[in-house]
């Protein structure tokens, strides 16, 4: 078979997750910046491809098809993505990693992801990427950012949970493959689904939201209808609830996979 079994897949992540907690801080930060930028590129591509479309279903489908390749780039490059790393709970439960080591990884990678998305969003706005269509792309970007920032807290939280269930499954599915094509397809399909559904991913939303915030500065002539855009609104209305939801969703899958495939194996070994 060209695929690992589910038990092998989860065990592979347990080993990989343990290594992630032992990596040097500088390496985690740099690879985190890379992942934030790669996911950001996918976000910019979806905005560019869809800003002239009017059919909501077509926008969702096209966004899903394109954005789905973002995680594949992260995985094949060895970059570090915070949302995927919530699966390190598997390594902790498997006694291959510690809770402090997991939290250290999360903190450094989250910071790196944020810096990567921040830099990409700033450069795209500062050097007129969003000027396409006479500023229509900037308006589309600000509208999308405002929608993400003004969701009710509980809605953003639940949309974050549902999103990261699919994201971490995508990470696991990528580890089930034994060749590049299988790994990319395993990562692509669940991510395409969450994008089409409109669920919230805190790292992708960093680029979506910060691009909108920078557009209010560099495309001020198009920003009149977007009074809700602001850094405080972004942190409280999107980043906080979506990040919490992503952690819950990712950890829930990690615990479930450990219980189903690794915990049972350990009991049999003792028997």
């Amino acid at each position: 078979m060209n695929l690992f079994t589910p038990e092998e897949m989860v065990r592979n992540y347990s080993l990989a997750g343990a290594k992630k907690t032992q990596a040097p801080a500088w390496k985690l930060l740099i690879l985190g910046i890379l992942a934030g930028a790669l996911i950001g590129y996918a976000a910019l591509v979806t905005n560019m491809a869809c800003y002239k479309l009017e059919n909501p279903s077509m926008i969702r489908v096209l966004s899903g098809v394109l954005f789905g390749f973002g995680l594949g780039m992260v995985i094949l490059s060895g970059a570090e993505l915070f949302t995927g790393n919530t699966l390190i709970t598997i390594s902790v439960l498997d006694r291959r990693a510690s809770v402090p080591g997991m939290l250290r990884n999360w903190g450094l990678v989250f910071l790196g992801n944020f810096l990567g998305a921040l830099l990409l969003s700033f450069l795209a706005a500062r050097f007129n990427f969003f000027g396409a269509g006479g500023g229509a792309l900037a308006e589309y970007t600000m509208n999308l950012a405002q929608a993400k920032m003004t969701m009710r807290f509980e809605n953003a939280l639940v949309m974050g949970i549902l999103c990261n269930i699919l994201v971490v499954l995508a990470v696991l599915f990528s580890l089930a493959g034994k060749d590049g094509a299988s790994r990319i397809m395993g990562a692509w399909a669940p991510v395409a689904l969450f994008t089409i559904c409109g669920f919230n991913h805190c790292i992708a939303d960093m680029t979506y939201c910060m691009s909108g915030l920078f557009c209010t500065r560099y495309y001020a002539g198009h920003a009149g209808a977007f009074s809700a855009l602001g850094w405080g609104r972004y942190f409280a209305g999107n980043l906080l609830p979506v990040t919490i939801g992503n952690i819950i969703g990712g950890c829930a899958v990690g615990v479930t996979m450990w219980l189903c495939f690794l915990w049972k194996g350990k009991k049999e070994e003792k028997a």
Side-chain angles (χ1 to χ4, degrees):
M1 289 182 63
N2 202 36
L3 295 172
F4 291 105
T5 67
E7 182 174 343
E8 291 171 332
M9 173 185 74
V10 178
R11 195 175 299 280
N12 287 344
Y13 190 89
S14 178
L15 295 169
K19 291 182 180 179
K20 288 175 181 288
T21 65
Q22 298 162 7
W26 64 266
K27 184 176 181 179
L28 290 174
L29 188 61
I30 291 174
L31 291 177
I33 291 172
L34 175 61
L38 290 175
I39 294 298
Y41 280 123
L44 294 184
V45 165
T46 62
N47 280 9
M48 179 61 81
C50 296
Y51 81 96
K52 284 285 191 180
L53 300 179
E54 296 183 0
N55 186 304
S57 295
M58 182 61 69
I59 291 173
R60 288 282 185 90
V61 171
L62 182 58
S63 294
V65 169
L66 295 174
F67 189 84
F69 291 105
L71 183 60
M73 294 192 295
V74 169
I75 288 170
L76 293 184
S77 69
E80 292 281 336
L81 185 65
F82 167 76
T83 47
N85 286 4
T86 56
L87 276 178
I88 295 175
T89 49
I90 293 174
S91 307
V92 172
L93 291 169
D94 205 32
R95 298 184 180 180
R96 298 181 185 274
S98 66
V99 172
M102 177 180 70
L103 296 178
R104 169 182 172 272
N105 176 280
W106 286 3
L108 289 167
V109 171
F110 188 88
L111 176 60
N113 291 169
F114 185 87
L115 292 175
L118 177 69
L119 179 61
L120 181 65
S121 300
F122 168 74
L123 292 175
R126 173 65 179 82
F127 294 99
N128 205 36
F129 172 84
F130 298 105
L137 176 56
E139 290 188 19
Y140 178 90
T141 300
M142 288 185 282
N143 185 61
L144 179 59
Q146 183 164 271
K148 288 181 173 293
M149 292 182 200
T150 55
M151 293 180 69
R152 294 174 59 182
F153 188 96
E154 60 269 28
N155 291 358
L157 177 71
V158 173
M159 292 300 101
I161 293 172
L162 297 177
C163 171
N164 216 35
I165 288 172
L166 289 171
V167 171
V168 295
L169 286 175
V171 171
L172 288 173
F173 294 166
S174 76
L175 290 177
K178 295 183 179 180
D179 58 63
S182 299
R183 297 195 70 192
I184 287 180
M185 184 55 67
W188 177 83
V191 173
L193 291 181
F194 97 67
T195 307
I196 293 169
C197 289
F199 298 151
N200 287 78
H201 183 264
C202 66
I203 310 304
D205 283 359
M206 287 175 182
T207 297
Y208 284 126
C209 291
M210 289 193 286
S211 292
L213 289 167
F214 284 123
C215 280
T216 63
R217 176 178 179 181
Y218 292 107
Y219 304 88
H222 300 272
F226 303 104
S227 58
L229 287 174
W231 288 95
R233 172 82 70 170
Y234 164 53
F235 289 127
N238 178 273
L239 186 63
L240 179 61
V242 174
T243 299
I244 294 172
N246 287 168
I247 292 172
I248 294 171
C251 290
V253 173
V255 171
T256 300
M257 290 294 166
W258 176 79
L259 282 173
C260 292
F261 297 110
L262 298 185
W263 180 67
K264 178 181 177 181
K266 286 188 177 295
K267 287 182 67 176
E268 289 177 350
E269 287 172 12
K270 291 178 180 179

